[in-house]
Amino acid sequence: MQVRHRYRIYPTLGQQQSLARAFGCARVVYNDCLRIRDAAHTAGEKISDTEVQRRVITLGKQAPEREWLGDVASVALVQACQDARRAYRNWFDSLSGKRRRRKVGHPRFRRRHQRQSIRLTRNGFALHGQRLYVAKVGDITVEWSRDLPSMPSSVTVIKEADGRYYASFVVEREASPLPACEREIGIDLGLASLAVTSDGEVIGNPRFLRARERKLARTQRALSRKQSGSANRARARRQVAVVHRKIRETRLDHAHKTALWLVRDNQAVYAEDLAVSGLARTPLAKSVHDAGWTQLLRLVEEKAARYGRTFHKIGRFEPTSQVCSACGAKDGPKPLHVREWTCAACGTRHDRDHNAAKNVLALGRRESLNVCGGGVRPGRILVAAGEAGTHRSAT
Ligand SMILES: [Zn+2]
């Protein structure tokens, strides 16, 4: 299966300048692609992927105002075109309902002050001993916090908004199944905590997260008071980015540990699909919890595939918090503040989330039996996307 491994890298000042140029060009190409596709979409004309690429890169290099596109590795520009194509397609599929997963909006234009990146395939990078060679940039020092399991097929070079540089490699990794075990578990994604399991275990949010979120709000307020274009504003922006990074790292670390614990101790893990869950539909839940849940489920899926476990998402919306897990009676909707309730049919007293997790387990078992006629599917192979497996991962 394919996974990502991320390492911190330390480009020299000169290399930072070359990278800045490459980031800039990739950003311009990406945005040009979106504009051309938008224009074609508005005019109601169909435009092929090769035509978009020809107009943006080939014709772009000939135009005096885009001449500098020739200064950077063309593989990075081609990849930027493909990124734009994928973002556009996701949006389209989402509009037409072809995409079953969460709705995505129109792709956003890339901006200078955000995270910058270029993606390179094998003809744009190489490993020179301990260093990472990037075309038209040079040999960059890498902090090899863990070994690469195989020769990477591609690399994304990233500059985060806080100024740190990373290389994220896509590598092939052998699955290493754990000995089979009997236990299965259902998890209910919660508001007060990150999740509750069908065993009644409460998985809290990471420690310090609240304090850091308050700090983030404070630095963001400070940023908004700074004059645009000033040195103070640039410094404030960096401070916000640093707090963001700390929150991200705290969350990711916690999610890795939680996912590993769930997958190691259970043969099958069942959860609600966020795209169809009732909770995720409320605007409040979306803004506050979505990121943490998505990350946790992605890591559980990834680790299940790696360790030969099953991860199954319940395929359709079920009112898991309304049904009594003891007798199956449907007790009717309950406002979010109701944490405990008693089943009118059988008199069992329920903790809201624990009961929901038990229902998730039962539903998941039933669905996975239906899907494969008795057996449990082995962990699905997946291509990890996004931030999977940074150097501090607990995989
Ligand atoms: Zn009951």
Side-chain angles (χ1 to χ4, degrees):
M1 64 185 138
Q2 286 194 315
V3 291
R4 280 180 177 278
H5 278 207
R6 180 163 147 140
Y7 303 88
R8 188 138 179 224
I9 57 171
Y10 297 89
T12 63
L13 277 180
Q15 289 169 345
Q16 288 179 20
Q17 282 164 5
S18 307
L19 281 173
R21 213 156 31 231
F23 291 145
C25 289
R27 187 177 66 235
V28 164
V29 162
Y30 183 90
N31 290 344
D32 282 353
C33 283
L34 290 189
R35 272 188 214 103
I36 284 180
R37 287 180 187 276
D38 275 344
H41 181 51
T42 314
E45 69 180 78
K46 267 190 103 74
I47 187 164
S48 74
D49 299 333
T50 38
E51 176 59 16
V52 173
Q53 186 170 321
R54 193 183 71 87
R55 282 196 213 167
V56 173
I57 300 180
T58 318
L59 298 183
K61 281 179 183 171
Q62 290 161 15
E65 75 275 11
R66 289 276 191 269
E67 217 178 28
W68 33 264
L69 286 180
D71 297 345
V72 306
S74 61
V75 54
L77 306 182
V78 172
Q79 295 302 317
C81 273
Q82 291 189 355
D83 290 347
R85 180 178 73 186
R86 182 153 17 99
Y88 218 80
R89 181 150 307 156
N90 284 346
W91 175 55
F92 247 75
D93 289 352
S94 191
L95 281 181
S96 66
K98 225 165 88 184
R99 186 183 157 92
R100 230 198 84 224
R101 303 174 58 180
R102 170 170 299 301
K103 288 247 174 286
V104 294
H106 181 274
R108 283 192 210 148
F109 288 94
R110 290 187 180 166
R111 290 161 57 188
R112 181 196 295 267
H113 292 305
Q114 291 164 349
R115 170 191 211 263
Q116 306 284 308
S117 67
I118 46 167
R119 212 152 55 82
L120 302 161
T121 47
R122 284 298 289 278
N123 47 6
F125 79 98
L127 293 177
H128 287 173
Q130 291 299 301
R131 290 169 169 232
L132 167 66
Y133 168 76
V134 173
K136 301 214 175 173
V137 176
D139 288 339
I140 305 175
T141 306
V142 183
E143 188 182 299
W144 295 108
S145 42
R146 56 172 167 166
D147 289 338
L148 280 174
S150 65
M151 188 60 201
S153 54
S154 75
V155 66
T156 306
V157 180
I158 301 154
K159 184 189 183 193
E160 293 285 2
D162 64 0
R164 292 189 178 188
Y165 291 83
Y166 298 89
S168 174
F169 296 97
V170 174
V171 287
E172 195 63 33
R173 187 176 60 191
E174 296 286 311
S176 46
L178 291 167
C181 72
E182 294 285 300
R183 269 168 53 112
E184 298 190 334
I185 205 165
I187 54 175
D188 177 62
L189 302 162
L191 285 170
S193 58
L194 183 60
V196 174
T197 73
S198 48
D199 296 340
E201 208 134 4
V202 178
I203 304 165
N205 279 303
R207 281 173 75 204
F208 312 126
L209 193 63
R210 293 294 311 157
R212 283 193 169 145
E213 278 169 350
R214 276 195 297 274
K215 174 142 197 217
L216 179 64
R218 209 158 55 228
T219 49
Q220 273 168 339
R221 273 198 304 276
L223 170 65
S224 69
R225 285 193 298 263
K226 301 288 184 286
Q227 204 160 23
S228 79
S230 68
N232 273 336
R233 190 180 175 85
R235 195 176 313 125
R237 198 187 294 118
R238 210 154 39 240
Q239 270 164 2
V240 169
V242 168
V243 182
H244 260 301
R245 184 191 75 231
K246 287 183 177 164
I247 290 177
R248 197 173 57 234
E249 284 175 350
T250 309
R251 265 225 183 90
L252 183 65
D253 188 51
H254 180 72
H256 265 293
K257 285 177 181 146
T258 307
L260 185 60
W261 168 70
L262 287 168
V263 164
R264 201 176 37 207
D265 293 354
N266 298 283
Q267 189 61 37
V269 181
Y270 303 105
E272 274 183 303
D273 191 338
L274 277 183
V276 294
S277 95
L279 202 54
R281 282 189 203 143
T282 66
L284 168 86
K286 207 177 266 176
S287 60
V288 184
H289 303 279
D290 218 35
W293 289 337
T294 311
Q295 187 176 55
L296 178 65
L297 294 188
R298 180 172 55 71
L299 291 175
V300 170
E301 186 169 26
E302 198 181 294
K303 288 181 203 300
R306 177 172 186 191
Y307 295 117
R309 306 295 206 209
T310 298
F311 173 61
H312 179 82
K313 281 187 207 167
I314 295 171
R316 63 206 161 91
F317 175 66
E318 291 283 344
T320 49
S321 56
Q322 301 178 20
V323 174
C324 169
S325 60
C327 73
K330 193 172 166 190
D331 206 76
K334 293 167 184 51
L336 276 175
H337 68 266
V338 176
R339 304 315 307 167
E340 288 189 350
W341 54 283
T342 305
C343 173
C346 73
T348 311
R349 182 118 187 105
H350 291 297
D351 171 86
R352 179 200 182 93
D353 297 338
H354 185 193
N355 176 64
K358 284 186 191 165
N359 285 329
V360 168
L361 174 61
L363 272 165
R365 276 183 171 149
R366 212 180 312 147
E367 280 191 8
S368 62
L369 287 178
N370 288 342
V371 167
C372 45
V376 167
R377 283 182 302 171
R380 187 160 79 75
I381 305 300
L382 78 152
V383 179
E387 304 292 310
T390 70
H391 60 288
R392 45 171 65 232
S393 80
T395 42

mmCIF file of all heavy atoms in Angstrom, residues 254-272:
data_model
loop_
_atom_site.group_PDB
_atom_site.id
_atom_site.type_symbol
_atom_site.label_atom_id
_atom_site.label_comp_id
_atom_site.label_asym_id
_atom_site.label_seq_id
_atom_site.Cartn_x
_atom_site.Cartn_y
_atom_site.Cartn_z
ATOM 1 N N HIS A 254 -2.118 12.807 18.883
ATOM 2 C CA HIS A 254 -3.184 12.175 19.654
ATOM 3 C C HIS A 254 -3.998 11.219 18.772
ATOM 4 O O HIS A 254 -4.327 10.105 19.191
ATOM 5 C CB HIS A 254 -4.081 13.270 20.229
ATOM 6 C CG HIS A 254 -5.223 12.778 21.043
ATOM 7 N ND1 HIS A 254 -5.062 12.234 22.293
ATOM 8 C CD2 HIS A 254 -6.551 12.729 20.793
ATOM 9 C CE1 HIS A 254 -6.238 11.886 22.770
ATOM 10 N NE2 HIS A 254 -7.162 12.174 21.889
ATOM 11 N N ALA A 255 -4.301 11.654 17.549
ATOM 12 C CA ALA A 255 -5.100 10.831 16.639
ATOM 13 C C ALA A 255 -4.333 9.555 16.258
ATOM 14 O O ALA A 255 -4.917 8.472 16.167
ATOM 15 C CB ALA A 255 -5.468 11.621 15.389
ATOM 16 N N HIS A 256 -3.018 9.675 16.052
ATOM 17 C CA HIS A 256 -2.196 8.502 15.739
ATOM 18 C C HIS A 256 -2.257 7.490 16.875
ATOM 19 O O HIS A 256 -2.452 6.295 16.651
ATOM 20 C CB HIS A 256 -0.732 8.916 15.540
ATOM 21 C CG HIS A 256 -0.386 9.148 14.097
ATOM 22 N ND1 HIS A 256 -0.363 8.136 13.169
ATOM 23 C CD2 HIS A 256 -0.033 10.260 13.426
ATOM 24 C CE1 HIS A 256 -0.023 8.625 11.986
ATOM 25 N NE2 HIS A 256 0.183 9.924 12.113
ATOM 26 N N LYS A 257 -2.098 7.978 18.108
ATOM 27 C CA LYS A 257 -2.088 7.078 19.261
ATOM 28 C C LYS A 257 -3.447 6.417 19.438
ATOM 29 O O LYS A 257 -3.539 5.208 19.687
ATOM 30 C CB LYS A 257 -1.712 7.848 20.528
ATOM 31 C CG LYS A 257 -0.224 8.151 20.553
ATOM 32 C CD LYS A 257 0.157 8.976 21.749
ATOM 33 C CE LYS A 257 1.649 9.265 21.719
ATOM 34 N NZ LYS A 257 1.947 10.586 22.274
ATOM 35 N N THR A 258 -4.519 7.212 19.313
ATOM 36 C CA THR A 258 -5.868 6.673 19.457
ATOM 37 C C THR A 258 -6.148 5.612 18.398
ATOM 38 O O THR A 258 -6.655 4.531 18.697
ATOM 39 C CB THR A 258 -6.911 7.805 19.338
ATOM 40 O OG1 THR A 258 -6.565 8.836 20.260
ATOM 41 C CG2 THR A 258 -8.307 7.309 19.630
ATOM 42 N N ALA A 259 -5.801 5.930 17.154
ATOM 43 C CA ALA A 259 -6.066 5.015 16.043
ATOM 44 C C ALA A 259 -5.294 3.717 16.228
ATOM 45 O O ALA A 259 -5.833 2.625 16.021
ATOM 46 C CB ALA A 259 -5.698 5.672 14.714
ATOM 47 N N LEU A 260 -4.051 3.821 16.662
ATOM 48 C CA LEU A 260 -3.230 2.629 16.850
ATOM 49 C C LEU A 260 -3.827 1.745 17.948
ATOM 50 O O LEU A 260 -3.918 0.528 17.812
ATOM 51 C CB LEU A 260 -1.800 3.026 17.212
ATOM 52 C CG LEU A 260 -0.807 1.857 17.317
ATOM 53 C CD1 LEU A 260 -0.710 1.126 15.990
ATOM 54 C CD2 LEU A 260 0.559 2.352 17.760
ATOM 55 N N TRP A 261 -4.248 2.384 19.027
ATOM 56 C CA TRP A 261 -4.851 1.661 20.152
ATOM 57 C C TRP A 261 -6.115 0.937 19.704
ATOM 58 O O TRP A 261 -6.320 -0.239 20.028
ATOM 59 C CB TRP A 261 -5.122 2.692 21.263
ATOM 60 C CG TRP A 261 -5.981 2.205 22.373
ATOM 61 C CD1 TRP A 261 -5.645 1.283 23.310
ATOM 62 C CD2 TRP A 261 -7.319 2.614 22.658
ATOM 63 N NE1 TRP A 261 -6.682 1.093 24.168
ATOM 64 C CE2 TRP A 261 -7.724 1.896 23.801
ATOM 65 C CE3 TRP A 261 -8.206 3.525 22.076
ATOM 66 C CZ2 TRP A 261 -8.985 2.056 24.369
ATOM 67 C CZ3 TRP A 261 -9.456 3.684 22.644
ATOM 68 C CH2 TRP A 261 -9.843 2.959 23.762
ATOM 69 N N LEU A 262 -6.968 1.611 18.922
ATOM 70 C CA LEU A 262 -8.208 0.994 18.448
ATOM 71 C C LEU A 262 -7.923 -0.201 17.546
ATOM 72 O O LEU A 262 -8.536 -1.258 17.661
ATOM 73 C CB LEU A 262 -9.054 2.020 17.683
ATOM 74 C CG LEU A 262 -9.761 3.095 18.505
ATOM 75 C CD1 LEU A 262 -10.298 4.189 17.604
ATOM 76 C CD2 LEU A 262 -10.898 2.473 19.322
ATOM 77 N N VAL A 263 -6.983 -0.027 16.635
ATOM 78 C CA VAL A 263 -6.715 -1.048 15.624
ATOM 79 C C VAL A 263 -5.959 -2.241 16.221
ATOM 80 O O VAL A 263 -6.222 -3.387 15.872
ATOM 81 C CB VAL A 263 -5.924 -0.416 14.452
ATOM 82 C CG1 VAL A 263 -5.293 -1.478 13.569
ATOM 83 C CG2 VAL A 263 -6.839 0.473 13.626
ATOM 84 N N ARG A 264 -5.057 -1.974 17.148
ATOM 85 C CA ARG A 264 -4.249 -3.050 17.720
ATOM 86 C C ARG A 264 -5.116 -3.994 18.560
ATOM 87 O O ARG A 264 -4.958 -5.200 18.504
ATOM 88 C CB ARG A 264 -3.140 -2.452 18.581
ATOM 89 C CG ARG A 264 -1.973 -3.410 18.785
ATOM 90 C CD ARG A 264 -0.871 -2.738 19.567
ATOM 91 N NE ARG A 264 -1.419 -1.855 20.579
ATOM 92 C CZ ARG A 264 -0.801 -0.790 21.067
ATOM 93 N NH1 ARG A 264 0.391 -0.456 20.617
ATOM 94 N NH2 ARG A 264 -1.352 -0.041 21.990
ATOM 95 N N ASP A 265 -6.073 -3.433 19.305
ATOM 96 C CA ASP A 265 -6.844 -4.250 20.250
ATOM 97 C C ASP A 265 -8.116 -4.845 19.656
ATOM 98 O O ASP A 265 -8.823 -5.576 20.338
ATOM 99 C CB ASP A 265 -7.239 -3.415 21.480
ATOM 100 C CG ASP A 265 -6.004 -3.030 22.291
ATOM 101 O OD1 ASP A 265 -4.910 -3.508 21.944
ATOM 102 O OD2 ASP A 265 -6.144 -2.260 23.251
ATOM 103 N N ASN A 266 -8.438 -4.503 18.403
ATOM 104 C CA ASN A 266 -9.697 -4.968 17.833
ATOM 105 C C ASN A 266 -9.524 -5.503 16.419
ATOM 106 O O ASN A 266 -8.799 -4.917 15.621
ATOM 107 C CB ASN A 266 -10.716 -3.823 17.802
ATOM 108 C CG ASN A 266 -11.017 -3.326 19.196
ATOM 109 O OD1 ASN A 266 -11.753 -3.958 19.950
ATOM 110 N ND2 ASN A 266 -10.408 -2.208 19.574
ATOM 111 N N GLN A 267 -10.224 -6.592 16.126
ATOM 112 C CA GLN A 267 -10.156 -7.154 14.787
ATOM 113 C C GLN A 267 -10.936 -6.280 13.795
ATOM 114 O O GLN A 267 -10.589 -6.189 12.638
ATOM 115 C CB GLN A 267 -10.717 -8.588 14.795
ATOM 116 C CG GLN A 267 -10.496 -9.356 13.511
ATOM 117 C CD GLN A 267 -9.015 -9.522 13.177
ATOM 118 O OE1 GLN A 267 -8.186 -9.699 14.058
ATOM 119 N NE2 GLN A 267 -8.671 -9.409 11.901
ATOM 120 N N ALA A 268 -11.988 -5.654 14.295
ATOM 121 C CA ALA A 268 -12.777 -4.783 13.430
ATOM 122 C C ALA A 268 -13.167 -3.516 14.191
ATOM 123 O O ALA A 268 -13.485 -3.572 15.377
ATOM 124 C CB ALA A 268 -14.023 -5.497 12.932
ATOM 125 N N VAL A 269 -13.086 -2.392 13.507
ATOM 126 C CA VAL A 269 -13.516 -1.116 14.081
ATOM 127 C C VAL A 269 -14.640 -0.576 13.201
ATOM 128 O O VAL A 269 -14.507 -0.529 11.979
ATOM 129 C CB VAL A 269 -12.353 -0.091 14.127
ATOM 130 C CG1 VAL A 269 -12.817 1.220 14.744
ATOM 131 C CG2 VAL A 269 -11.165 -0.659 14.894
ATOM 132 N N TYR A 270 -15.744 -0.205 13.837
ATOM 133 C CA TYR A 270 -16.872 0.348 13.089
ATOM 134 C C TYR A 270 -17.120 1.785 13.508
ATOM 135 O O TYR A 270 -17.008 2.120 14.686
ATOM 136 C CB TYR A 270 -18.140 -0.465 13.355
ATOM 137 C CG TYR A 270 -18.001 -1.930 13.021
ATOM 138 C CD1 TYR A 270 -17.866 -2.880 14.029
ATOM 139 C CD2 TYR A 270 -17.986 -2.361 11.691
ATOM 140 C CE1 TYR A 270 -17.725 -4.231 13.728
ATOM 141 C CE2 TYR A 270 -17.841 -3.706 11.380
ATOM 142 C CZ TYR A 270 -17.711 -4.635 12.399
ATOM 143 O OH TYR A 270 -17.572 -5.962 12.091
ATOM 144 N N ALA A 271 -17.453 2.631 12.525
ATOM 145 C CA ALA A 271 -17.761 4.025 12.834
ATOM 146 C C ALA A 271 -18.815 4.531 11.879
ATOM 147 O O ALA A 271 -19.060 3.939 10.831
ATOM 148 C CB ALA A 271 -16.502 4.882 12.725
ATOM 149 N N GLU A 272 -19.430 5.632 12.266
ATOM 150 C CA GLU A 272 -20.368 6.264 11.354
ATOM 151 C C GLU A 272 -19.612 6.980 10.251
ATOM 152 O O GLU A 272 -18.535 7.533 10.494
ATOM 153 C CB GLU A 272 -21.211 7.299 12.113
ATOM 154 C CG GLU A 272 -22.421 6.724 12.783
ATOM 155 C CD GLU A 272 -23.246 7.803 13.445
ATOM 156 O OE1 GLU A 272 -22.698 8.525 14.291
ATOM 157 O OE2 GLU A 272 -24.420 7.927 13.121
#
